[in-house]
Amino acid sequence: MQKIGNDVYVLHELNGINDSLRSTGPQGSYRDLFKKAMLPVLFIGFGLAILQQLCGANNVTAYMQVIFEKANISIKDGLLNAVFVALVFFVFTLLAILLVDRMGRKKLMLTGTSLMALFLFLLAWSFHQPVINGKLVFVFIMGYTGTYAFSLAPVTWVLLSEIFPNYIRSKALSLSSCVLWLATFLVVLISPWLLKLSPVINFVIFGILNVLGIFFVGRYVPETKGRSLEEIERTLFKKTA
């Protein structure tokens, strides 16, 4: 802390951390997570975890080759495109590192869900055409993947690590992670059936889920940019008390 501030700053932050730990008592239990004061924050955490998967990330990335085949992209080209998309994911994840403390977590989440909804609706439109344009499908998938990489993919984990109070953060994070991976399992489970039923229906469903995600983030998710964990804790519990 001394590297980013003076001795007064260090003392102030340490006092804030100690006050937070003293005011909440001993380490919380999983039962404490479901007490009335915690439920609104738990709702936000679970909502973020579910949104990160219901946005369709593992529908698009896990079944990318299936989507390419339905877009009449050859297996050879599809494999090369998958490598290129992975490179896009890597580059845009680096972009997230640069933006998360400049734009803020909430703005990145809103930008991400908005753009991903757009790209999913464009993919649905592409597959609804009499002749599917494989190049357009690839561009839309690349745009969707890049958007996910600089928004929901990393920022969800940042928010989950910040919104829960100190005394119960580890347990709240572990439970939120379980919810996230359960959502992942469900998305991966139903995706083959949806893609077989109709790529158009598949992309429209996940596009609508992103639109719902915009309203969820805008209404419930707090902006945590530039605030200490103790400040976030005081603000959230003041609202939920």
Side-chain angles (χ1 to χ4, degrees):
M1 282 191 275
Q2 284 180 330
K3 289 183 179 180
I4 59 174
N6 55 29
D7 291 340
V8 175
Y9 166 79
V10 173
L11 184 60
H12 178 267
E13 290 299 310
L14 287 177
N15 286 337
I17 293 170
N18 287 327
D19 289 344
S20 171
L21 294 174
R22 280 196 297 268
S23 64
T24 51
Q27 189 74 10
S29 65
Y30 282 103
R31 183 179 297 178
D32 293 330
L33 282 173
F34 297 95
K35 289 184 177 179
K36 186 178 180 180
M38 272 295 301
L39 286 179
V41 187
L42 199 63
F43 167 74
I44 296 172
F46 284 3
L48 287 168
I50 293 170
L51 174 61
Q52 196 206 48
Q53 294 305 311
L54 293 192
C55 72
N58 278 297
N59 175 269
V60 175
T61 57
Y63 295 96
M64 193 179 299
Q65 290 304 317
V66 175
I67 296 170
F68 284 159
E69 287 175 12
K70 290 183 177 292
N72 301 317
I73 299 173
S74 69
I75 294 176
K76 181 180 178 181
D77 291 339
L79 289 172
L80 290 173
N81 289 340
V83 172
F84 187 74
V85 169
L87 180 61
V88 169
F89 200 107
F90 171 73
V91 171
F92 277 82
T93 301
L94 296 179
L95 178 63
I97 296 173
L98 298 175
L99 293 178
V100 70
D101 278 326
R102 294 183 181 183
M103 283 185 62
R105 288 80 157 125
K106 188 168 185 173
K107 286 183 180 179
L108 276 176
M109 293 290 284
L110 289 171
T111 301
T113 47
S114 300
L115 287 176
M116 285 190 291
L118 174 63
F119 283 122
L120 287 167
F121 289 136
L122 287 172
L123 281 166
W125 171 80
S126 298
F127 279 93
H128 189 61
Q129 301 306 302
V131 178
I132 301 172
N133 188 324
K135 290 182 180 179
L136 267 183
V137 169
F138 172 69
V139 169
F140 294 150
I141 287 179
M142 184 175 66
Y144 173 89
T145 305
T147 302
Y148 177 70
F150 80 78
S151 58
L152 270 70
V155 180
T156 297
W157 292 107
V158 175
L159 281 167
L160 287 176
S161 70
E162 292 177 334
I163 61 173
F164 296 112
N166 286 329
Y167 80 105
I168 206 166
R169 181 170 292 117
S170 59
K171 291 180 173 61
L173 268 173
S174 66
L175 198 57
S176 297
S177 297
C178 288
V179 171
L180 187 149
W181 288 110
L182 178 61
T184 305
F185 169 77
L186 293 174
V187 169
V188 174
L189 182 68
I190 66 171
S191 288
W193 178 79
L194 284 174
L195 287 167
K196 185 177 181 181
L197 176 67
S198 167
V200 175
I201 293 175
N202 174 78
F203 293 126
V204 166
I205 288 174
F206 285 105
I208 291 172
L209 290 172
N210 274 279
V211 173
L212 294 176
I214 295 170
F215 289 103
F216 169 77
V217 173
R219 174 67 179 82
Y220 296 107
V221 177
E223 179 55 77
T224 59
K225 171 190 171 184
R227 299 163 67 189
S228 69
L229 298 177
E230 291 69 39
E231 289 173 337
I232 297 167
E233 181 178 333
R234 286 193 297 270
T235 302
L236 283 176
F237 277 84
K238 183 179 180 180
K239 290 181 179 179
T240 60

